[in-house]
Amino acid sequence: MTQWEVVIGLETHAQLSTESKIFSGASTAFGAEPNTQACAVDLGLPGVLPVINRGAVERAIRFGLAVGAEVAPRSVFARKNYFYPDLPKGYQISQFELPVVVGGGLTIQTSQGEKHVRLTRAHLEEDAGKSLHEDFHGLSGVDLNRAGTPLLEIVTEPDMRSAEEAVAYARALHGLVRWIEICDGNMQEGSFRCDVNVSVRPMGQPEFGTRCEIKNLNSFRFIERAIECEVKRQIELIEDGGTVVQQTRLYDPDRDETRSMRSKEDAMDYRYFPDPDLPPLLVGADWVARVAAGLPELPVARRTRFADALGLSAYDAALLTASREAADYFEAVLAAAPGVDAKLVANWVNGDLAAALKRGDLDIAHSQVSNAQLAGLLVRLADGTVSGKMAKEIFEILWSEGGDADAIIDARGMRQISDSGELQAVLQQLIDENPAQVAEYRGGKEKVFGFFVGKAMKATAGKANPAQLNELLRALLAG
Amino acid sequence: MSLSENEVRRVARLSRLAVTAAELPQLQQDLSRILDLAAQLQAIDTTGVTPLAHPSGAGAPLRNDHVTEVDRRQAFQAVAPQTERGLYLVPKVIE
């Protein structure tokens, strides 16, 4: 039985978060009436000239810096020629031989640990319009609002070896483009979509197998499913004596399979050539330096700081830096809860808060418990006013009713009993009332300890400080 | 360099040009001569010469990221062969 190795590379189209298009002053706002945001340049009317949007270039520079790539001092726009009604000029302006971002890489976290994925390049290009195939008396409708929207196409080396790694990369990239605020990452609206190149080869074979490209995947789940289907298809095909044919395929989520879109024989010849309407894009070192100065602390740096300076586990630090909002929330709680251990804060943000967000299908920016509210609660947990169990209850109240922890504690008398005199009195009474159980415990039956804990909790309405209770009880029972 | 008839047909298809059988021989000859000229240029030693992307030595001018265009759909669609509900209508395309 041959062991197969999977080889995956990704091409991601990230829509850049500019107000206006890459080569025109038309708006990029989503959801406008058809063709109300398609100007003469976007329509490719005769006599118009494209002018590059500085904001789009600046976002490409931010990306290049964030992935440790080279920002090309001189890059060139080219025409990629093909015919389709949603491409009015008959060519897409893209970058071919000389892209604006060269190299770089991204570190991802998987169940196998950390891995570095190399990037080949990232280039600027314009998006096409949208064809609507529902029936217009046997015709197709074309909306060109999206035509000319700026995209950054980010291409990896074939470095990934499983669907899990590919999804981890896509998630890390998605987190990064949002972190550095170059793309809103809205996958439903198509702001972040992936093409996946998949091939298989017998384990140990140095040459790559023939690859297939699966186009336009707009959810992480579809990326994972599409790769798994395609890997299975290729392996079965080869094991049945067939050969993989290089082609472009589409993933059909309803049938959970990939199907051929076009094969290499019909592959288009794009006849790339430098766009004579656009002189080379020059990016000076001073511009790059200005952009670098304006970059926020990047996910990797922040993750390292959380692990090294705050003593968090690699796992916690990675979860907290999955998005900038999560990292900001965590640090805000930490700042508002002086003296509270960072590990405790991390446990709550990654535990109870994350679970509540998931239940409510909310992201952390829309959390129903603010960082100040959580800090107020954790201060009371850390100073022993409330037990862990009470804290969970208070958290649920904060989530559903709002308010602040101190007020809830006072209103509901949720203060735990940490007064050793008071606890000792309760425990002494229990011991006096249950001589048989005391004898059993002293006779070596350790399990009876739980009986007393239960009784004591009942007697104090669950308010006894558990650690203190255990300690006192053990001493008293020892006699 | 001489192009085959099949190559000419393929180029025509890629260019979405309807070429009749009668036109093929002439096109085949003309295109082959153009390729000969290109081959002559290719033969020049360009070692150390930076490829020219644009005749002007200057860099591209940039514009600030502001919306400067207004909706002129009505004017643009006045010259379109067919429109409906704001969409341009074209012969059916199915991927």
Side-chain angles (χ1 to χ4, degrees), chain A residues 128-426:
Chain A
K130 221 160 89 180
S131 303
L132 300 154
H133 301 297
E134 66 240 47
D135 201 24
F136 293 93
H137 343 284
L139 298 170
S140 289
V142 179
D143 176 8
L144 296 169
N145 278 350
R146 203 178 61 185
T149 298
L151 301 176
L152 189 66
E153 179 173 335
I154 303 153
V155 184
T156 74
E157 293 289 307
D159 279 357
M160 287 150 281
R161 294 290 174 271
S162 66
E164 188 204 352
E165 285 184 4
V167 171
Y169 163 78
R171 282 188 189 278
L173 182 65
H174 184 256
L176 180 67
V177 296
R178 292 179 61 235
W179 189 291
I180 59 174
E181 294 172 318
I182 63 168
C183 168
D184 68 18
N186 190 324
M187 295 175 90
Q188 278 88 40
E189 291 175 7
S191 300
F192 187 91
R193 44 193 204 262
C194 297
D195 302 341
V196 181
N197 282 291
V198 180
S199 66
V200 298
R201 62 181 169 188
M203 197 65 86
Q205 176 186 302
E207 302 84 28
F208 291 129
T210 304
R211 69 167 193 263
C212 289
E213 183 180 23
I214 313 162
K215 281 252 180 228
N216 263 332
L217 298 164
N218 65 352
S219 88
F220 297 121
R221 208 174 65 83
F222 288 171
I223 294 173
E224 186 174 8
R225 291 299 316 145
I227 292 171
E228 278 166 3
C229 294
E230 180 58 17
V231 165
K232 188 160 167 277
R233 186 189 72 87
Q234 292 186 12
I235 291 175
E236 280 173 3
L237 184 65
I238 299 169
E239 288 184 343
D240 288 348
T243 37
V244 175
V245 179
Q246 189 177 337
Q247 57 187 196
T248 305
R249 300 179 71 85
L250 282 179
Y251 173 67
D252 180 343
D254 296 326
R255 305 173 68 172
D256 195 30
E257 63 179 27
T258 64
R259 59 186 152 78
S260 179
M261 194 171 132
R262 56 174 179 258
S263 71
K264 198 188 172 191
E265 284 71 58
D266 327 304
M268 296 191 250
D269 177 347
Y270 291 121
R271 293 165 291 141
Y272 279 99
F273 62 86
D275 191 327
D277 287 345
L278 288 161
L281 170 62
L282 303 183
V283 177
D286 52 335
W287 191 6
V288 176
R290 275 201 308 280
V291 174
L295 271 184
E297 185 186 19
L298 295 170
V300 175
R302 215 158 171 187
R303 190 159 68 228
T304 310
R305 181 163 62 80
F306 284 179
D308 295 350
L310 301 176
L312 300 187
S313 67
Y315 177 79
D316 275 338
L319 275 184
L320 289 171
T321 51
S323 76
R324 196 163 148 195
E325 290 85 358
D328 287 347
Y329 186 102
F330 167 73
E331 293 212 88
V333 176
L334 208 57
V340 176
D341 183 27
K343 181 78 192 146
L344 179 73
V345 178
N347 284 345
W348 273 79
V349 173
N350 289 337
D352 291 78
L353 180 73
L357 291 169
K358 201 171 175 192
R359 273 200 305 277
D361 196 22
L362 293 169
D363 57 56
I364 201 161
H366 299 97
S367 170
Q368 285 173 234
V369 173
S370 72
N371 53 59
Q373 282 173 308
L374 185 60
L377 171 61
L378 296 185
V379 166
R380 291 296 163 246
L381 174 60
D383 71 11
T385 305
V386 296
S387 66
K389 189 161 164 286
M390 289 172 177
K392 282 178 191 291
E393 279 172 42
I394 297 168
F395 179 82
E396 292 307 322
I397 297 168
L398 287 172
W399 184 269
S400 51
E401 297 167 27
D404 75 277
D406 281 343
I408 294 167
I409 292 166
D410 285 341
R412 308 196 182 211
M414 290 178 97
R415 222 166 270 280
Q416 73 178 345
I417 302 167
S418 298
D419 179 333
S420 62
E422 195 180 338
L423 267 183
Q424 188 142 10
V426 171

Side-chain angles (χ1 to χ4, degrees), chain B residues 31-61:
Chain B
L31 284 175
S32 298
R33 287 183 58 209
I34 291 170
L35 287 180
D36 286 342
L37 176 66
Q40 211 178 323
L41 291 171
Q42 295 270 32
I44 299 166
D45 181 9
T46 54
T47 318
V49 179
T50 311
L52 180 75
H54 199 274
S56 132

